[in-house]
Structure formats: C-alpha cells, structure tokens
Amino acid sequence: MTSSFDPIPNIERLIRPELLGLKPYEPIEPLEVLSQRCGVPVDKIIKLDGNENPYGCSPRVQRALADYSYYHIYTDPLQRDVRQALERYVGVGSEHIVMGSGSDELIDLTLRLLLEPGDKVINCQPTFGMYSFSTAVCGGQIVDVPRDSAYAVDVAAVKKAVDPRTKAIFIASPNNPTGNVTLRDDILELVRTGIMVVVDEAYCEFSGQTVAPLVLDHENLIVLRTFSKWAGLGGLRIGYGIFPVNIADLIFKIKPPYNVNIAAQVAALASLADLEYLQGVVRKIVAERERLYSELKRLGFLEPLPSQANFILCRVLDGPSQREGSRQIVNELAKVGIFVRYYDTPLLRNFLRISVGKPEHTDALVGALRRIGGSQ
Ligand SMILES: *Cc1c(COP(=O)(O)O)cnc(C)c1O
C-alpha cells in the first residue's frame, strides 16, 4: 500500500530541478579498479592519468602522520598553523590565505560566495572540468570562451563576453590539459574588467611562475594553489586560496568549520618543512617532462605540446595509413597496465594527456607506444 507520504515515487519534486539533469564530473579511476581491469598488480601499474606525483609525498610526511597524537581533537577552524607556515612559502600575509579540502573545495566556496541563480561564470575551454561543474552545482551559468589556436586565453573575447550578470572568470595557469601559462599582463587586463578573476595555479611549482603577489594590489583577484601535485598529497585533500583580505574573511564565514582534516594539515606542515627535498622532486619531474616531450615527438605519430606543468598534451596525428585514435591508444596502453587520458571533444579532437612519471615510466610508455604505433 502506498500512502501519500510514501517518499519514493515523487521525491524528485524536492530536488533542485537544474541538478536533476546535471552532467556528473568524470573523475579518474582508483588504482584498485585499474588493477582489476587490466590484471596487472597495483604496484606494477603505471598511472599517468591524474597528474599525480610519481615520487609520492615527502618521507617526513609519513613520519609526522605516524607520530601525531591528537587525531581525536577537532581541527582549528582558523587553520592558524598551516596558514602561518604558508606565509613564507607564498610571500603574502596569512590573513590572505584560506585552506580548503583540496583546491576543489575553494573553487566551490568561491562560487557559493559569488553566485546567485543565473549568474554567469566565464570559462576558457579546453580547461579543468571543475569550474563548469561547480558553477552548475551552485546554480550559475557557464559562458564558454574558447582559447585561441595556441590555447592562449582569448582576452579580447573574454572581455566582450562580460555582461552585468558575469561574476567570475576562471583561468588555470598552467592550464590543464594544455600545459601553457597565461601571461601576467593578460591576467591584469582581465582584472581591469572588475569581475572576480580566479587564477588556478595548481601546477605553478612546475612552471616557476605565479601571480600571487598581485593579489595584494587587487580587490578582484584570487589565486588557488594545492599540495596535490608538487607535494604529492592528492589523496589527503589540501589546497589553499590567496584572497583579498575581505574575501578571505567571507570565505571563512561560509566554509564548514572543520573543512580540512588534521592529517592533511599535519602533512602540509611536514611538506613545508621539507622544501629542499620536494623542490628536488619537482626538478626531477621537470627534467623528465623535457625528455618525455622529445621521446613522444620522436615516435612520429604524436604531436606533443610544450608544457610548463607535470603533464603533456599530445595530438594524435592522422597518418597515411589508418591511424589509431586517442581512445584506441588509451585502450591498448591500459591492457599492459599503463594509464593515460584521452580527449575526443570538438575542441580537442583525438588528443592524449600524459602525466610525467619517473624515467622508467617514460621508457615503458614509449616502448608500448612504439609497439602500438608500429602495429598499424
Ligand atoms: C588537479 C587540479 C586541481 C585539483 O586540486 P585539488 O587540490 O586536488 O582539489 C585544481 N585545479 C587544476 C587545474 C587541477 O588540474
């Protein structure tokens, strides 16, 4: 018997209608799933699909987490220790800094702060998927302004797209997945629109370029950073934003009080205390990026794009014979336990994105690609 209180049949009437049709974010698969899929044990998988750090975190992080004795105590909602430790690393006062459960959470909090239903966010495609995803979840409307043929932000087109409902412009620099940075002057020109400009610097340790100091002089510039890539803490979820002080205060006001777990904070502190080691790891990855670039180019059927991040985007070239597309290449690589990403969208037709691994990962990948390319 169904009563009028039966919650099942009509429950969707309670859901925000715009979320019922939301396209879910496509996350990468966890190691165990990849391992099961290809029958290669977890420790033999070559995972080059998530821009993760192949060297893992600092050994000091492992020790700090083992030695910490206050996991039963709630964290400091004001995140004083980590923000203080970041002052020197970032070069701005801690009053500008707010920590998030990954920079993903700060994308969401920033949009929650800015958007009323129907407000617009400018997105420069192809780029990171979270900007459009979080905009949709927050009830906003995405305005796509495609990058130019070299994947640079089309500043003139972005300025033209701004209207009274535009609240934010998102720029990843270096951009994921294209790997190029946006010039400081271009960012300053966008800041002059008066709209909130959010520069996502998830990969800035690999490019050596940042606009973080500019936040001190502009009321509408936000820079997002993360420990996920350079410090190898992706699984612990900790990132931070550099905000104008009044915006930082508002983010503190609306964020969940204990948003960053204590393990992540302990790990971030231990990472900042081991900068020399981590910067050595970054240098190794950057050197390997350049070697991977030349190896990919030498294969003859890929066109890698120069990258300032820890991954390389490649176009799969059309050959005289029927070449395999990026999706088939990804499938072939997966069979031998090597995972990379493919893109086959109108803006990125037939592309691969390959994260930079250790030298032995490059060798295994290039060997497998040579076999795949040679088999046609
Ligand atoms: C990986 C990535 C992030 C995610 O960072 P988290 O701190 O792990 O949430 C943010 N922005 C870009 C462009 C990324 O590629």
Side-chain angles (χ1 to χ4, degrees):
M1 214 177 67
T2 56
S3 78
S4 55
F5 297 109
D6 188 329
I8 305 303
N10 271 324
I11 198 65
E12 290 192 349
R13 80 190 187 285
L14 301 177
I15 309 291
R16 288 163 51 197
E18 72 274 21
L19 293 188
L20 289 172
L22 182 72
K23 223 176 88 214
Y25 183 77
E26 277 181 41
I28 42 175
E29 299 278 21
L31 266 178
E32 293 70 22
V33 173
L34 298 179
S35 165
Q36 263 176 5
R37 192 176 296 162
C38 62
V40 173
V42 166
D43 61 332
K44 292 281 181 321
I45 296 274
I46 298 180
K47 191 172 182 311
L48 306 176
D49 62 352
N51 304 339
E52 289 134 336
N53 192 321
Y55 296 94
C57 62
S58 150
R60 285 209 200 178
V61 167
Q62 316 265 11
R63 286 201 295 275
L65 288 173
D67 291 347
Y68 189 73
S69 350
Y70 300 98
Y71 289 117
H72 57 299
I73 304 294
Y74 280 97
T75 59
D76 171 13
L78 291 180
Q79 313 156 335
R80 277 166 273 220
D81 292 348
V82 202
R83 289 169 56 226
Q84 189 68 43
L86 273 169
E87 275 195 341
R88 255 190 79 200
Y89 182 70
V90 181
V92 305
S94 62
E95 68 277 14
H96 291 279
I97 301 172
V98 186
M99 311 303 298
S101 177
S103 52
D104 283 356
E105 188 188 29
L106 294 161
I107 295 169
D108 178 66
L109 286 169
T110 299
L111 289 167
R112 285 210 233 179
L113 189 65
L114 297 174
L115 297 184
E116 292 181 77
D119 279 348
K120 295 177 184 171
V121 173
I122 294 179
N123 195 33
C124 302
Q125 296 271 27
T127 193
F128 188 48
M130 286 303 289
Y131 316 137
S132 53
F133 172 77
S134 286
T135 297
V137 173
C138 292
Q141 200 183 328
I142 272 287
V143 176
D144 277 321
V145 178
R147 289 164 172 260
D148 70 14
S149 57
Y151 303 112
V153 171
D154 186 341
V155 175
V158 170
K159 284 165 73 179
K160 228 192 280 170
V162 171
D163 74 15
R165 299 238 39 197
T166 310
K167 290 289 188 69
I169 303 167
F170 274 84
I171 309 280
S173 179
N175 186 42
N176 177 5
T178 57
N180 57 319
V181 296
T182 296
L183 300 175
R184 183 189 138 99
D185 283 349
D186 285 348
I187 286 163
L188 283 172
E189 192 171 345
L190 295 174
V191 166
R192 270 180 241 120
T193 61
I195 308 305
M196 190 65 80
V197 177
V198 184
V199 180
D200 182 346
E201 293 190 345
Y203 301 98
C204 71
E205 280 80 4
F206 303 102
S207 72
Q209 293 177 50
T210 177
V211 294
L214 297 179
V215 173
L216 302 178
D217 303 320
H218 299 278
E219 58 178 12
N220 61 322
L221 177 62
I222 294 171
V223 173
L224 303 181
R225 300 265 192 89
T226 180
F227 284 84
S228 295
K229 312 288 163 52
W230 70 285
L233 299 184
L236 276 173
R237 315 303 304 129
I238 183 160
Y240 57 100
I242 304 152
F243 301 88
V245 175
N246 58 337
I247 304 293
D249 291 346
L250 289 164
I251 297 279
F252 269 115
K253 210 151 113 179
I254 67 166
K255 82 173 178 63
Y258 312 111
N259 61 323
V260 183
N261 73 73
I262 193 63
Q265 295 191 42
V266 167
L269 283 169
S271 304
L272 291 170
D274 204 8
L275 281 183
E276 216 168 297
Y277 169 83
L278 287 172
Q279 284 162 352
V281 167
V282 167
R283 279 194 296 274
K284 275 200 270 193
I285 293 170
V286 168
E288 190 58 21
R289 174 183 77 202
E290 299 313 310
R291 188 175 81 94
L292 175 64
Y293 178 89
S294 2
E295 292 287 333
L296 292 171
K297 203 169 173 104
R298 246 203 339 215
L299 286 170
F301 61 96
L302 298 178
E303 183 196 12
L305 273 67
S307 167
Q308 310 243 51
N310 65 341
F311 53 83
I312 294 179
L313 186 72
C314 313
R315 186 199 304 274
V316 180
L317 298 173
D318 303 318
S321 60
Q322 187 74 31
R323 288 281 183 211
E324 305 229 26
S326 58
R327 183 211 284 260
Q328 287 91 322
I329 292 175
V330 165
N331 289 339
E332 290 301 312
L333 288 174
K335 286 184 195 160
V336 294
I338 302 176
F339 294 89
V340 304
R341 275 198 67 161
Y342 77 89
Y343 297 85
D344 204 15
T345 61
L347 289 178
L348 289 178
R349 192 59 79 201
N350 211 11
F351 279 79
L352 296 171
R353 192 197 68 193
I354 303 170
S355 308
V356 179
K358 295 179 178 177
E360 58 264 38
H361 300 151
T362 301
D363 295 341
L365 169 81
V366 169
L369 282 171
R370 204 169 282 136
R371 284 190 292 278
I372 293 167
S375 69
Q376 291 157 22

